[in-house]
């Protein structure tokens, strides 16, 4: 993370280093093959608390950095403007909002805007944690997370699959909450083929943005620097 200027910068740096160390130690305990079920459940709960603390810290750093820099944050921009001025036929934006009772996903393409209800924040978190732990496990001859990757694809991406034009080759993900930890490239398409899994990255180039407004701001900034 980029830290805000000032005397508190060292405090942020130390806190981030401490939380990173705690998360690494917890994950290293979770991947032990002799780990008992009760101990594993306790460690998963501990990891959840540590990850939430790390996310809150990053948000605090971001807020403090904006206050110190006194720079205007990107202005909110309408979906209509994004569609007609910043999206082409080969790109799409998939944005997520996690809520307590239900979550939502929004797919924005050049010609359409699709909104789908998704599982609640708690359900999404429960669904992702085991998969994220598998991704942090040292690689073996066979990736053990294919089933989980396919299930998460069904939950988060499949509801929009019918709306993806065939021309789409670039997918921009705007995650929320725990989805910031999920590499969407590793999700497995739910095509009924189990012996040869097909990953999302095989269909689309995947990139990430903190918000649609920030994405437009960065694109405009890059365009201005080229002239």
């Amino acid at each position: 993370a980029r830290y805000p200027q000032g005397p508190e910068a060292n405090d942020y740096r130390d806190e981030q280093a401490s939380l990173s160390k705690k998360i690494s130690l917890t994950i290293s305990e979770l991947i032990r093959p002799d780990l008992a079920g009760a101990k594993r459940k306790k460690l998963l709960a501990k990891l959840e608390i540590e990850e939430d603390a790390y996310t809150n810290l990053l948000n605090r750093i971001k807020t403090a950095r904006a206050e110190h820099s006194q720079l205007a944050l990107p202005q909110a921009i309408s979906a209509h403007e994004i569609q007609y001025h910043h999206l082409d036929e080969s790109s799409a934006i998939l944005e997520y909002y996690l809520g307590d009772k239900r979550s939502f996903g929004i797919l924005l393409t050049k010609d359409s805007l699709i909104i789908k209800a998704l599982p609640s924040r708690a359900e999404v978190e429960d669904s992702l944690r085991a998969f994220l732990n598998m991704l942090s496990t040292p690689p073996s001859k066979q990736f053990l997370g294919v089933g989980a990757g396919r299930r998460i694809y069904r939950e988060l991406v499949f509801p929009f699959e019918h709306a993806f034009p065939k021309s789409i080759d670039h997918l921009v993900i705007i995650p929320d909450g725990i989805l910031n930890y999920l590499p969407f490239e590793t999700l497995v398409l739910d095509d009924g083929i189990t012996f040869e899994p097909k990953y999302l990255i095989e269909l689309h180039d995947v990139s990430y943005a903190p918000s649609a407004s920030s994405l437009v701001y960065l694109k405009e900034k890059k365009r201005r620097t080229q002239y």
Side-chain angles (χ1 to χ4, degrees):
R2 264 193 317 117
Y3 304 101
Q5 297 180 354
E8 69 272 27
N10 287 334
D11 294 335
Y12 286 125
R13 188 177 291 106
D14 292 343
E15 186 176 355
Q16 185 174 15
S18 175
L19 284 171
S20 295
K21 184 177 181 180
K22 289 180 180 178
I23 290 173
S24 296
L25 289 173
T26 302
I27 291 176
S28 67
E29 286 291 311
L30 278 166
I31 64 177
R32 286 175 47 193
D34 59 339
L35 187 64
K39 178 67 173 177
R40 181 177 183 81
K41 186 175 181 180
K42 185 176 180 180
L43 284 171
L44 285 172
K46 182 172 181 283
L47 181 62
E48 179 178 357
I49 294 172
E50 291 167 348
E51 287 176 342
D52 287 344
Y54 191 86
T55 300
N56 289 335
L57 173 63
L58 293 181
N59 288 333
R60 282 162 44 210
I61 292 173
K62 181 179 178 181
T63 301
R65 192 170 65 233
E67 291 174 350
H68 278 280
S69 65
Q70 296 182 343
L71 294 175
L73 295 176
Q75 297 296 311
I77 188 168
S78 69
H80 178 84
E81 184 175 347
I82 293 173
Q83 285 178 302
Y84 285 93
H85 297 288
H86 302 286
L87 275 181
D88 55 34
E89 289 77 6
S90 65
S91 301
I93 296 173
L94 187 52
E95 184 167 8
Y96 294 93
Y97 297 92
L98 300 185
D100 292 336
K101 294 184 178 180
R102 68 175 62 183
S103 303
F104 295 93
I106 301 175
L107 175 67
L108 193 63
T109 70
K110 180 72 174 175
D111 302 310
S112 65
L113 188 155
I114 308 294
I115 301 176
K116 294 286 185 179
L118 303 173
S120 68
R121 178 189 293 110
E123 291 176 275
V124 171
E125 289 175 348
D126 288 343
S127 180
L128 260 63
R129 291 196 186 283
F131 184 65
L132 294 178
N133 288 333
M134 290 179 189
L135 293 178
S136 66
T137 303
S140 60
K141 292 182 179 180
Q142 184 178 6
F143 177 51
L144 301 179
V146 170
R150 183 176 285 113
R151 170 176 50 76
I152 295 168
Y153 178 88
R154 285 199 301 267
E155 295 171 352
L156 299 178
V157 182
F158 180 76
F160 304 95
E161 194 175 65
H162 73 282
F164 278 109
K166 292 182 178 180
S167 60
I168 297 297
D169 56 29
H170 180 209
L171 183 60
V172 181
I173 303 291
I174 300 178
D176 185 29
I178 195 173
L179 296 181
N180 283 281
Y181 298 99
L182 175 65
F184 279 74
E185 300 92 326
T186 62
L187 298 185
V188 182
L189 272 64
D190 188 25
D191 55 5
I193 301 175
T194 57
F195 58 91
E196 189 66 34
K198 192 171 187 177
Y199 296 90
L200 183 62
I201 191 61
E202 296 182 57
L203 287 188
H204 309 291
D205 292 329
V206 179
S207 60
Y208 300 85
S211 69
S213 297
S214 296
L215 178 65
V216 170
Y217 172 78
L218 292 173
K219 287 180 67 176
E220 286 295 310
K221 182 178 180 182
K222 181 179 179 180
R223 183 183 62 81
R224 289 195 299 268
T225 59
Q226 291 175 342
Y227 295 96

